[in-house]
Amino acid sequence: MALALVDCESFYASCERIFRPDLKNTPIVVLSNNDGCVIARSTEAKKMGIGMGVPWFKVKKSFLLQGGQVFSSNFTFYGDMSARVMNILEGFVPEIEIYSIDEAFLGMDSLEEHYNLYEFGCYVRSLIKQWTGVPVRIGIAPTKTLTKIALNEAKRINVPTKVHQISTTKEIREALRNTPIRDVWGVGRRLSEHLNQAKISNALQLADIDPNYIKRKFSLVLERTVRELRGQRCLDIENNVSAKKQIVVSRSFGNRVADLKTLRSIVSNFAVRASEKLRNEKQKCSQVSVFVRTSPFSNHKPQHTGHKTMELLNPTNDTRDILIAAKKALLPIFKPGYDYAKAGILLSRFTNETTKQYSLFKDPNEPKDNSKFMKYIDQLNNYETQIYFASQNTKRWSPMKQNMTSPKYTTSWYELPIVK
DNA sequence: TCTGGGGTCCTAGGACCC
DNA sequence: TCTGGGGTCCTAGGACCC
């Protein structure tokens, strides 16, 4: 019984290096929207002590002085590189779950009798490196939670191939003993605090507790984690991509926004984008929520957060309906006199696009289904034209600051790398 | 000055029913 | 003085993930 976890090393930072061989040993960090936080670090940057999620302004000076290279996030590019890696993996295994942009679980049960899994992992790793330039690490173990532990162990004992398998009880217990409780998949900040209070500080101690006791004292979720650590598979490979249950579009602003008019145009932009995503998913929603909030970090200033959910009588994915609902929701939560730092829209309560639920109180004047109109707009927007709705802010999508973005090397004809 | 964005699952407790 | 019991459904919020 074995699963594998393939994890792209420092993914965004590695992507930035692919078309910039001159940056081979240079420390690299990639920043979040607005160039706010550090969200990816190359090994060199990690060694310099740059933490995950630290505000960029706090480390900027020393990082750059030491010769570091910084990039704003270029998600279009990372998404494309991710698809290439996943594509290769799909060709090698019967079962795959793409877990995030830089991770995938592989089902290895059927390969086990024909292959040496460790060698198989090394082979896949070298192919991915050769074909995409992305370095990956592979952990192999009986359960998902243990594959994460295997990766941790590989790092601790510094496995040069970056591929590591733990399968015997001895290997597993040794790896568990060396994993701090906080590094266990499913144990976050709060849980690790509670567990530490109960004198449970490493994964082995957690694994040795009766799962039933854990369920009573903590939760069903942690019980599953314990069983997984003991080698009992509770989480399977989920290869049918299940439909989304909610869609969120939100941003922090580069500059604070205090007036309703500006805020409304920003929220309109979010609504338009969220509706596009919804149509892409072939779903309709019947709930639209909007939220706004001031910056929790400016605690000397008056704070306000507001959120409001609108129910729609008929499920829709028409931008016009969603825009109306979003603007209605914004009105009661906006209060003048506050400097807003972030806003967002959340669509939920999805139904399939093709099923139509008629309202008991159907308005006889309600227009006929005009989904063709939105399809047409989507088509236009996919090319060079850009159709806007009147309430949108057409100058900037959201008031964001970002100016260190690398080219869209692989997704734009105009930005293809040039070989000289 | 400057602190990300987008998701999932679980659960306690409220609303409601008979 | 004393004010049922048991069930379902829904939702907001918490915790976690990358």
Side-chain angles (χ1 to χ4, degrees), chain A residues 21-217:
Chain A
D22 56 304
L23 296 179
K24 193 171 177 204
N25 297 309
T26 310
I28 294 177
V29 298
V30 177
L31 305 181
S32 64
N33 284 320
N34 288 314
D35 297 336
C37 298
V38 172
I39 56 169
R41 309 149 295 153
S42 71
T43 319
E44 300 79 10
K46 285 176 193 165
K47 276 187 194 142
M48 284 168 59
I50 308 286
M52 179 65 178
V54 296
W56 170 233
F57 72 88
K58 285 190 180 170
V59 293
K60 178 177 179 178
K61 200 172 165 194
S62 88
F63 181 70
L64 294 178
L65 270 177
Q66 291 178 70
Q69 178 80 39
V70 58
F71 291 95
S72 303
S73 34
N74 185 348
F75 288 113
T76 326
F77 174 45
Y78 310 147
D80 183 60
M81 290 315 298
S82 168
R84 290 166 192 240
V85 171
M86 300 307 173
N87 232 312
I88 296 172
L89 290 174
E90 277 163 358
F92 276 103
V93 290
E95 269 191 307
I96 179 168
E97 174 184 345
I98 297 172
Y99 181 72
S100 72
I101 194 165
D102 66 346
E103 282 176 312
F105 288 104
L106 312 180
M108 310 283 270
D109 292 341
S110 57
L111 300 174
E112 213 168 355
E113 48 182 299
H114 306 293
Y115 298 95
N116 174 314
L117 295 186
Y118 169 77
E119 283 168 14
F120 179 81
C122 291
Y123 175 63
V124 170
R125 178 178 194 275
S126 69
L127 269 189
I128 292 177
K129 176 76 184 162
Q130 187 189 346
W131 291 355
T132 67
V134 176
V136 301
R137 309 181 301 148
I138 303 182
I140 306 166
T143 67
K144 279 186 173 177
T145 310
L146 285 174
T147 59
K148 293 255 179 189
I149 302 277
L151 283 182
N152 235 312
E153 184 71 351
K155 197 181 198 177
R156 188 183 72 86
I157 59 181
N158 200 9
V159 178
T161 56
K162 310 274 180 158
V163 178
H164 191 54
Q165 178 172 19
I166 51 174
S167 51
T168 66
T169 310
K170 186 164 172 279
E171 285 167 340
I172 292 173
R173 289 185 70 83
E174 177 66 13
L176 289 175
R177 196 190 328 273
N178 288 297
T179 306
I181 199 74
R182 182 59 229 268
D183 292 350
V184 174
W185 192 41
V187 177
R189 192 174 52 84
R190 295 306 280 273
L191 261 177
S192 64
E193 277 169 18
H194 286 154
L195 289 166
N196 273 322
Q197 277 166 20
K199 302 266 180 283
I200 302 167
S201 57
N202 68 41
L204 185 61
Q205 289 168 333
L206 182 61
D208 282 341
I209 299 173
D210 175 17
N212 295 312
Y213 172 82
I214 290 288
K215 185 178 180 183
R216 262 183 288 121
K217 283 285 178 182

Side-chain angles (χ1 to χ4, degrees), chain A residues 350-376:
Chain A
F350 292 169
T351 46
N352 195 288
E353 194 175 48
T354 48
T355 58
K356 186 150 170 71
Q357 173 73 54
Y358 289 97
S359 165
L360 185 56
F361 310 102
K362 189 170 160 59
D363 177 359
N365 298 318
E366 188 195 321
K368 291 256 186 320
D369 179 30
N370 47 14
S371 56
K372 271 188 192 151
F373 175 75
M374 289 315 304
K375 280 204 179 100
Y376 190 54

Side-chain angles (χ1 to χ4, degrees), chain A residues 144-398:
Chain A
K144 279 186 173 177
T145 310
L146 285 174
T147 59
K148 293 255 179 189
I149 302 277
L151 283 182
N152 235 312
E153 184 71 351
K155 197 181 198 177
R156 188 183 72 86
I157 59 181
N158 200 9
V159 178
T161 56
K162 310 274 180 158
V163 178
H164 191 54
Q165 178 172 19
I166 51 174
S167 51
T168 66
T169 310
K170 186 164 172 279
E171 285 167 340
I172 292 173
R173 289 185 70 83
E174 177 66 13
L176 289 175
R177 196 190 328 273
N178 288 297
T179 306
I181 199 74
R182 182 59 229 268
D183 292 350
V184 174
W185 192 41
V187 177
R189 192 174 52 84
R190 295 306 280 273
L191 261 177
S192 64
E193 277 169 18
H194 286 154
L195 289 166
N196 273 322
Q197 277 166 20
K199 302 266 180 283
I200 302 167
S201 57
N202 68 41
L204 185 61
Q205 289 168 333
L206 182 61
D208 282 341
I209 299 173
D210 175 17
N212 295 312
Y213 172 82
I214 290 288
K215 185 178 180 183
R216 262 183 288 121
K217 283 285 178 182
F218 293 89
S219 70
L220 186 151
V221 185
L222 190 62
E223 182 204 0
R224 274 203 294 249
T225 301
V226 171
R227 291 186 188 278
E228 285 249 315
L229 289 177
R230 295 167 156 232
Q232 182 183 343
R233 207 179 279 182
C234 302
L235 307 167
D236 264 318
I237 300 278
E238 297 189 18
N239 40 13
N240 53 334
V241 218
S242 53
K244 282 204 170 92
K245 292 172 180 170
Q246 59 180 49
I247 286 173
V248 179
V249 177
S250 71
R251 290 290 181 284
S252 300
F253 311 144
N255 298 308
R256 305 284 180 255
V257 173
D259 67 300
L260 181 59
K261 200 174 154 227
T262 312
L263 208 49
R264 186 156 44 201
S265 69
I266 294 166
V267 169
S268 296
N269 286 357
F270 295 169
V272 170
R273 180 72 194 108
S275 310
E276 283 169 6
K277 286 185 173 184
L278 186 60
R279 289 194 292 277
N280 243 327
E281 290 281 316
K282 308 227 180 300
Q283 300 255 44
K284 291 185 173 183
C285 74
S286 49
Q287 253 184 1
V288 177
S289 315
V290 173
F291 69 88
V292 293
R293 67 145 215 244
T294 49
S295 167
F297 301 101
S298 344
N299 35 24
H300 52 286
K301 285 191 179 167
Q303 299 278 311
H304 172 237
T305 68
H307 54 92
K308 167 104 182 137
T309 301
M310 309 296 295
E311 307 282 340
L312 305 176
L313 272 178
N314 296 305
T316 182
N317 58 16
D318 189 310
T319 301
R320 292 164 294 178
D321 299 334
I322 290 166
L323 266 176
I324 290 170
K327 283 187 275 187
K328 259 191 205 160
L330 177 62
L331 273 183
I333 57 178
F334 170 83
K335 284 197 202 159
Y338 291 93
D339 286 338
Y340 291 100
K342 181 172 180 171
I345 183 169
L346 187 151
L347 308 182
S348 51
R349 283 226 183 138
F350 292 169
T351 46
N352 195 288
E353 194 175 48
T354 48
T355 58
K356 186 150 170 71
Q357 173 73 54
Y358 289 97
S359 165
L360 185 56
F361 310 102
K362 189 170 160 59
D363 177 359
N365 298 318
E366 188 195 321
K368 291 256 186 320
D369 179 30
N370 47 14
S371 56
K372 271 188 192 151
F373 175 75
M374 289 315 304
K375 280 204 179 100
Y376 190 54
I377 297 274
D378 285 341
Q379 274 173 23
L380 284 175
N381 283 343
N382 273 334
Y383 295 101
E384 69 276 18
T385 345
Q386 184 67 44
I387 308 285
Y388 289 103
F389 288 82
S391 54
Q392 280 188 263
N393 179 337
T394 55
K395 292 201 188 70
R396 292 173 102 179
W397 191 78
S398 93

